[in-house]
Amino acid sequence: MATRFVATHECDASEEYKNTYVDAKEEDIEIIKSPVGMPGRAIKNKFIENVSKERPKIDKCIRCIQTCDVKSTPYCITNALVNAVKGNVDEALLFCGSNSYRIKEIIPVKSLMEQLVNETEKCLA
């Protein structure tokens, strides 16, 4: 559910970041292995393609995750997430929900809430 709120006007993420959700197709979403060893769902992009081929150099570890081992981690998750926030989506990890591809536009939270209430009422009717 949280993913849908990314593509709202009120979300402070960059427009580039929000548009990756709007532009995503179902086949663009895949399960990846994060540096903490857990699976995560992400939107395929140049970053995902590049790290699947070659491990990027990690210049500095800020020890953001205790279990991260600079020698074996596939990439620096902090750099990847900061790039997402900054809108550098080609060098970013873009976590998402399984239904992200269903997002078709960036809308106000008020409109989203109205849609959710209407859909809930239809289900309960």
Side-chain angles (χ1 to χ4, degrees), residues 10-59:
E10 292 83 353
C11 177
D12 62 356
S14 70
E15 291 301 308
E16 296 85 359
Y17 184 91
K18 293 177 188 185
N19 282 321
T20 60
Y21 287 76
V22 173
D23 297 337
K25 298 176 186 65
E26 187 171 10
E27 58 270 18
D28 294 332
I29 299 167
E30 66 178 40
I31 303 290
I32 59 143
K33 184 177 179 183
S34 78
V36 297
M38 302 291 292
R41 189 172 281 108
I43 297 172
K44 283 190 272 186
N45 61 356
K46 289 181 184 177
F47 176 77
I48 297 291
E49 290 174 27
N50 291 341
V51 298
S52 71
K53 295 175 190 170
E54 183 179 340
R55 182 182 176 271
K57 182 180 180 212
I58 300 173
D59 295 321

